[in-house]
């Protein structure tokens, strides 16, 4: 029997901000974070499948080579992204630590798991974006005033 060539593995990463701070509440900061993640993935030779930047966390689906150690994927990408954010002064230096510990990384075992996570993340991002118009509304919260 022939050995099947192993393709890239899909990792779901979650980075929480330090103490749950809403660093990415401002749309421009969230967009820059997304661009920084994309650039960091490219520099590492990885493919970014999906990124959802929420005010206090970042969810990622990243395709990495099969030889990459799951325990190092998140740290390598987070460090590269953090450096880009620091260079651009997106988060003030006096703010201290940007990311909380521990980061989370799971390898998705099949296409069904990948599609499910992708769908859930898109829904969460859409909920947050829909609520961004009302300053009193956060992800998953009802509007402060009921619609007429």
């Amino acid at each position: 029997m022939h050995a099947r060539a192993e393709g890239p593995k899909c990792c779901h990463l979650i980075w929480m901000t330090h103490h749950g701070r809403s660093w990415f509440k401002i749309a421009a900061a969230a967009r820059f974070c997304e661009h920084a993640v994309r650039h960091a993935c490219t520099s590492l030779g990885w493919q970014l499948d999906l990124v959802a930047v929420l005010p206090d966390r970042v969810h990622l689906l990243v395709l990495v080579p099969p030889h990459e150690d799951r325990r190092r994927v998140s740290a390598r990408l987070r460090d590269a992204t953090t450096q880009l954010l620091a260079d651009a002064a997106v988060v003030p230096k006096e703010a201290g630590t940007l990311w909380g510990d521990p980061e989370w990384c799971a390898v998705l075992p099949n296409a069904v798991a990948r599609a499910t996570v992708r769908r859930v993340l898109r829904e969460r991002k859409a909920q947050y974006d829909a609520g961004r118009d009302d300053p009193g509304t956060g992800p998953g919260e009802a509007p402060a005033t009921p619609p007429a």
Side-chain angles (χ1 to χ4, degrees), residues 22-46:
S22 295
W23 290 120
F24 305 113
K25 173 170 63 173
I26 298 168
R31 280 193 303 274
F32 192 88
C33 180
E34 182 175 336
H35 291 297
V37 169
R38 289 185 187 287
H39 181 76
C41 279
T42 300
S43 70
L44 292 167
W46 300 347

Side-chain angles (χ1 to χ4, degrees), residues 43-122:
S43 70
L44 292 167
W46 300 347
Q47 180 185 347
L48 182 63
D49 185 27
L50 179 74
V51 59
V53 179
L54 301 176
D56 64 344
R57 73 194 69 203
V58 178
H59 287 268
L60 307 159
L61 286 180
V62 182
L63 299 173
V64 300
H67 66 273
E68 289 288 343
D69 182 2
R70 176 192 66 82
R71 294 170 298 222
R72 294 286 308 139
V73 167
S74 186
R76 288 184 65 198
L77 184 55
R78 186 181 70 171
D79 291 348
T81 301
T82 301
Q83 186 60 51
L84 291 167
L85 292 171
D87 291 348
V90 172
V91 177
K93 288 183 183 180
E94 60 274 5
T97 305
L98 175 60
W99 306 110
D101 282 325
E103 69 260 2
W104 187 81
C105 176
V107 176
L108 302 179
N110 55 45
V112 174
R114 184 174 166 191
T116 302
V117 170
R118 188 184 299 123
R119 179 182 48 80
V120 169
L121 293 180
R122 284 185 177 146

